[in-house]
Amino acid sequence: MMTKNEYCLEACVDSFASAMAAVDGGATRLELCSALIVGGLTPDVALLRQIHKETNIPIRCLIRPRFGDFLYSDREVELMEQQIVALVNAGADGVVIGCLTPEGELNEEQMTRLISATQGSGVTMHRAFDVCRDGLKTAKRAAALGVDTILTSGQQDNCWSGREYIGMLLAQNLPLTIMAGGGVGAGVIGDLLKIYPLRAFHMSGKVTLNSGMVFRREGVPMGLPGLDEFSVWQTDAEKIRQAATVLAGHYR
């Protein structure tokens, strides 16, 4: 658990440029993934190593083998175990995971397998938590399994809308960190700190950049229909800096 003046500002990034911007802005930890546009998937080991060459900031890696729900087959769990081992061996400080049953309960057997693969590294349960049936029960069971952080928007589409649920979780004094995510920025952090003793926040701080491509062949989509192939999502250092300033001012 965090001490009196400690806090965590975790930036979710899916590229080297975004990681460096987050570090420059004052993030205290990174959640590294790929394909943020679909909610994030497992990142490449080479990207983790590339970032670690430039900074020693703690990095937790998202372990999510595909887009979609959090109901995984045995083969998918086997893949995630291998991904965890490879990323931890490459320097990841922890992982971000979440497995559910068809009934929306925590899949404790699968979670136990993934946590075992971390070799004692940090474990965050991601926003699979926000679509589970019973959040308090899930949080208690996750803590018992070894999860040290729950990333949550309070089971709403953003953490401000879910603030009362987040407050309820904080009031339980669970043996893990409640990290607010979803719609986080400097303003939301400031507003939440006025009402709850939150010490951990998760944000992407992204901006949409125009592609540098001069020649553009339109109407040839590479992914989701309607996706703009000539826009690039990237973390903005100033958005991270503004959030870090609010947190530092509150906990100094």
mmCIF file of all heavy atoms in Angstrom, residues 228-250:
data_model
loop_
_atom_site.group_PDB
_atom_site.id
_atom_site.type_symbol
_atom_site.label_atom_id
_atom_site.label_comp_id
_atom_site.label_asym_id
_atom_site.label_seq_id
_atom_site.Cartn_x
_atom_site.Cartn_y
_atom_site.Cartn_z
ATOM 1 N N ASP A 228 -10.353 6.297 -39.392
ATOM 2 C CA ASP A 228 -9.523 7.209 -40.181
ATOM 3 C C ASP A 228 -8.083 6.706 -40.181
ATOM 4 O O ASP A 228 -7.404 6.736 -39.157
ATOM 5 C CB ASP A 228 -9.605 8.618 -39.583
ATOM 6 C CG ASP A 228 -8.797 9.644 -40.370
ATOM 7 O OD1 ASP A 228 -8.227 9.276 -41.407
ATOM 8 O OD2 ASP A 228 -8.739 10.808 -39.935
ATOM 9 N N GLU A 229 -7.629 6.243 -41.316
ATOM 10 C CA GLU A 229 -6.285 5.687 -41.420
ATOM 11 C C GLU A 229 -5.203 6.764 -41.390
ATOM 12 O O GLU A 229 -4.018 6.451 -41.317
ATOM 13 C CB GLU A 229 -6.153 4.876 -42.715
ATOM 14 C CG GLU A 229 -7.174 3.758 -42.869
ATOM 15 C CD GLU A 229 -6.958 2.607 -41.889
ATOM 16 O OE1 GLU A 229 -5.895 2.552 -41.255
ATOM 17 O OE2 GLU A 229 -7.876 1.783 -41.771
ATOM 18 N N PHE A 230 -5.608 8.026 -41.460
ATOM 19 C CA PHE A 230 -4.629 9.110 -41.513
ATOM 20 C C PHE A 230 -4.654 9.962 -40.246
ATOM 21 O O PHE A 230 -4.329 11.145 -40.254
ATOM 22 C CB PHE A 230 -4.851 9.957 -42.766
ATOM 23 C CG PHE A 230 -4.697 9.160 -44.029
ATOM 24 C CD1 PHE A 230 -5.806 8.777 -44.761
ATOM 25 C CD2 PHE A 230 -3.446 8.737 -44.441
ATOM 26 C CE1 PHE A 230 -5.662 8.007 -45.917
ATOM 27 C CE2 PHE A 230 -3.292 7.971 -45.584
ATOM 28 C CZ PHE A 230 -4.407 7.603 -46.334
ATOM 29 N N SER A 231 -5.065 9.325 -39.143
ATOM 30 C CA SER A 231 -4.998 9.951 -37.825
ATOM 31 C C SER A 231 -4.198 9.041 -36.905
ATOM 32 O O SER A 231 -4.303 7.811 -36.989
ATOM 33 C CB SER A 231 -6.397 10.169 -37.243
ATOM 34 O OG SER A 231 -7.117 11.118 -37.999
ATOM 35 N N VAL A 232 -3.396 9.633 -36.040
ATOM 36 C CA VAL A 232 -2.547 8.867 -35.131
ATOM 37 C C VAL A 232 -2.829 9.316 -33.702
ATOM 38 O O VAL A 232 -2.772 10.509 -33.397
ATOM 39 C CB VAL A 232 -1.050 9.090 -35.451
ATOM 40 C CG1 VAL A 232 -0.172 8.319 -34.470
ATOM 41 C CG2 VAL A 232 -0.748 8.676 -36.892
ATOM 42 N N TRP A 233 -3.149 8.355 -32.842
ATOM 43 C CA TRP A 233 -3.329 8.666 -31.421
ATOM 44 C C TRP A 233 -1.971 8.684 -30.742
ATOM 45 O O TRP A 233 -1.159 7.768 -30.924
ATOM 46 C CB TRP A 233 -4.188 7.606 -30.749
ATOM 47 C CG TRP A 233 -5.656 7.696 -31.058
ATOM 48 C CD1 TRP A 233 -6.259 8.490 -31.981
ATOM 49 C CD2 TRP A 233 -6.693 6.940 -30.430
ATOM 50 N NE1 TRP A 233 -7.604 8.287 -31.975
ATOM 51 C CE2 TRP A 233 -7.909 7.344 -31.036
ATOM 52 C CE3 TRP A 233 -6.720 5.984 -29.436
ATOM 53 C CZ2 TRP A 233 -9.145 6.807 -30.657
ATOM 54 C CZ3 TRP A 233 -7.943 5.445 -29.050
ATOM 55 C CH2 TRP A 233 -9.128 5.855 -29.654
ATOM 56 N N GLN A 234 -1.744 9.709 -29.924
ATOM 57 C CA GLN A 234 -0.475 9.795 -29.198
ATOM 58 C C GLN A 234 -0.678 10.527 -27.879
ATOM 59 O O GLN A 234 -1.458 11.482 -27.800
ATOM 60 C CB GLN A 234 0.568 10.532 -30.042
ATOM 61 C CG GLN A 234 1.982 10.483 -29.461
ATOM 62 C CD GLN A 234 2.989 11.007 -30.450
ATOM 63 O OE1 GLN A 234 3.138 10.491 -31.567
ATOM 64 N NE2 GLN A 234 3.702 12.061 -30.081
ATOM 65 N N THR A 235 0.015 10.084 -26.855
ATOM 66 C CA THR A 235 -0.049 10.739 -25.559
ATOM 67 C C THR A 235 0.537 12.139 -25.648
ATOM 68 O O THR A 235 1.578 12.354 -26.278
ATOM 69 C CB THR A 235 0.721 9.917 -24.508
ATOM 70 O OG1 THR A 235 0.095 8.641 -24.376
ATOM 71 C CG2 THR A 235 0.750 10.614 -23.156
ATOM 72 N N ASP A 236 -0.143 13.075 -25.003
ATOM 73 C CA ASP A 236 0.300 14.469 -24.990
ATOM 74 C C ASP A 236 0.984 14.761 -23.656
ATOM 75 O O ASP A 236 0.375 14.630 -22.590
ATOM 76 C CB ASP A 236 -0.904 15.389 -25.180
ATOM 77 C CG ASP A 236 -0.516 16.850 -25.173
ATOM 78 O OD1 ASP A 236 0.306 17.256 -26.006
ATOM 79 O OD2 ASP A 236 -1.035 17.591 -24.307
ATOM 80 N N ALA A 237 2.239 15.153 -23.699
ATOM 81 C CA ALA A 237 3.005 15.399 -22.476
ATOM 82 C C ALA A 237 2.353 16.453 -21.602
ATOM 83 O O ALA A 237 2.367 16.354 -20.369
ATOM 84 C CB ALA A 237 4.433 15.810 -22.828
ATOM 85 N N GLU A 238 1.751 17.469 -22.212
ATOM 86 C CA GLU A 238 1.159 18.552 -21.428
ATOM 87 C C GLU A 238 -0.060 18.070 -20.645
ATOM 88 O O GLU A 238 -0.264 18.495 -19.500
ATOM 89 C CB GLU A 238 0.782 19.722 -22.339
ATOM 90 C CG GLU A 238 0.253 20.935 -21.596
ATOM 91 C CD GLU A 238 1.211 21.466 -20.528
ATOM 92 O OE1 GLU A 238 2.441 21.336 -20.678
ATOM 93 O OE2 GLU A 238 0.714 22.006 -19.511
ATOM 94 N N LYS A 239 -0.863 17.191 -21.219
ATOM 95 C CA LYS A 239 -2.011 16.655 -20.481
ATOM 96 C C LYS A 239 -1.551 15.841 -19.270
ATOM 97 O O LYS A 239 -2.148 15.923 -18.193
ATOM 98 C CB LYS A 239 -2.880 15.789 -21.409
ATOM 99 C CG LYS A 239 -3.675 16.583 -22.423
ATOM 100 C CD LYS A 239 -4.650 15.682 -23.167
ATOM 101 C CE LYS A 239 -5.521 16.487 -24.123
ATOM 102 N NZ LYS A 239 -6.537 15.649 -24.805
ATOM 103 N N ILE A 240 -0.491 15.065 -19.456
ATOM 104 C CA ILE A 240 0.069 14.311 -18.334
ATOM 105 C C ILE A 240 0.638 15.270 -17.296
ATOM 106 O O ILE A 240 0.443 15.096 -16.081
ATOM 107 C CB ILE A 240 1.159 13.335 -18.822
ATOM 108 C CG1 ILE A 240 0.604 12.363 -19.870
ATOM 109 C CG2 ILE A 240 1.767 12.593 -17.645
ATOM 110 C CD1 ILE A 240 -0.460 11.417 -19.368
ATOM 111 N N ARG A 241 1.323 16.300 -17.764
ATOM 112 C CA ARG A 241 1.938 17.263 -16.854
ATOM 113 C C ARG A 241 0.888 17.982 -15.996
ATOM 114 O O ARG A 241 1.078 18.192 -14.794
ATOM 115 C CB ARG A 241 2.758 18.273 -17.659
ATOM 116 C CG ARG A 241 3.578 19.242 -16.792
ATOM 117 C CD ARG A 241 4.497 20.096 -17.652
ATOM 118 N NE ARG A 241 5.509 19.271 -18.309
ATOM 119 C CZ ARG A 241 5.563 19.013 -19.606
ATOM 120 N NH1 ARG A 241 4.650 19.541 -20.433
ATOM 121 N NH2 ARG A 241 6.503 18.241 -20.111
ATOM 122 N N GLN A 242 -0.201 18.359 -16.597
ATOM 123 C CA GLN A 242 -1.268 19.033 -15.847
ATOM 124 C C GLN A 242 -1.840 18.109 -14.773
ATOM 125 O O GLN A 242 -2.077 18.542 -13.637
ATOM 126 C CB GLN A 242 -2.371 19.476 -16.808
ATOM 127 C CG GLN A 242 -1.963 20.612 -17.729
ATOM 128 C CD GLN A 242 -2.980 20.879 -18.822
ATOM 129 O OE1 GLN A 242 -4.025 20.226 -18.899
ATOM 130 N NE2 GLN A 242 -2.680 21.820 -19.702
ATOM 131 N N ALA A 243 -2.038 16.845 -15.115
ATOM 132 C CA ALA A 243 -2.544 15.885 -14.135
ATOM 133 C C ALA A 243 -1.529 15.657 -13.018
ATOM 134 O O ALA A 243 -1.882 15.605 -11.829
ATOM 135 C CB ALA A 243 -2.871 14.568 -14.828
ATOM 136 N N ALA A 244 -0.259 15.517 -13.383
ATOM 137 C CA ALA A 244 0.798 15.307 -12.384
ATOM 138 C C ALA A 244 0.904 16.484 -11.441
ATOM 139 O O ALA A 244 1.144 16.313 -10.230
ATOM 140 C CB ALA A 244 2.131 15.062 -13.099
ATOM 141 N N THR A 245 0.710 17.678 -11.954
ATOM 142 C CA THR A 245 0.784 18.887 -11.127
ATOM 143 C C THR A 245 -0.324 18.884 -10.076
ATOM 144 O O THR A 245 -0.098 19.245 -8.918
ATOM 145 C CB THR A 245 0.698 20.143 -12.008
ATOM 146 O OG1 THR A 245 1.803 20.165 -12.907
ATOM 147 C CG2 THR A 245 0.708 21.408 -11.163
ATOM 148 N N VAL A 246 -1.517 18.506 -10.481
ATOM 149 C CA VAL A 246 -2.647 18.448 -9.540
ATOM 150 C C VAL A 246 -2.359 17.443 -8.437
ATOM 151 O O VAL A 246 -2.552 17.722 -7.240
ATOM 152 C CB VAL A 246 -3.949 18.098 -10.274
ATOM 153 C CG1 VAL A 246 -5.076 17.843 -9.270
ATOM 154 C CG2 VAL A 246 -4.344 19.224 -11.227
ATOM 155 N N LEU A 247 -1.887 16.259 -8.828
ATOM 156 C CA LEU A 247 -1.607 15.226 -7.832
ATOM 157 C C LEU A 247 -0.473 15.625 -6.891
ATOM 158 O O LEU A 247 -0.567 15.454 -5.681
ATOM 159 C CB LEU A 247 -1.239 13.926 -8.543
ATOM 160 C CG LEU A 247 -2.393 12.953 -8.803
ATOM 161 C CD1 LEU A 247 -1.949 11.853 -9.744
ATOM 162 C CD2 LEU A 247 -2.895 12.373 -7.508
ATOM 163 N N ALA A 248 0.593 16.150 -7.459
ATOM 164 C CA ALA A 248 1.734 16.566 -6.639
ATOM 165 C C ALA A 248 1.345 17.658 -5.663
ATOM 166 O O ALA A 248 1.771 17.667 -4.501
ATOM 167 C CB ALA A 248 2.879 17.036 -7.531
ATOM 168 N N GLY A 249 0.502 18.593 -6.110
ATOM 169 C CA GLY A 249 0.055 19.665 -5.239
ATOM 170 C C GLY A 249 -0.804 19.155 -4.099
ATOM 171 O O GLY A 249 -0.751 19.679 -2.974
ATOM 172 N N HIS A 250 -1.593 18.138 -4.368
ATOM 173 C CA HIS A 250 -2.490 17.587 -3.331
ATOM 174 C C HIS A 250 -1.726 16.772 -2.282
ATOM 175 O O HIS A 250 -2.045 16.820 -1.095
ATOM 176 C CB HIS A 250 -3.549 16.722 -3.983
ATOM 177 C CG HIS A 250 -4.599 16.230 -3.049
ATOM 178 N ND1 HIS A 250 -5.695 16.999 -2.686
ATOM 179 C CD2 HIS A 250 -4.729 15.062 -2.378
ATOM 180 C CE1 HIS A 250 -6.455 16.325 -1.857
ATOM 181 N NE2 HIS A 250 -5.894 15.138 -1.647
#
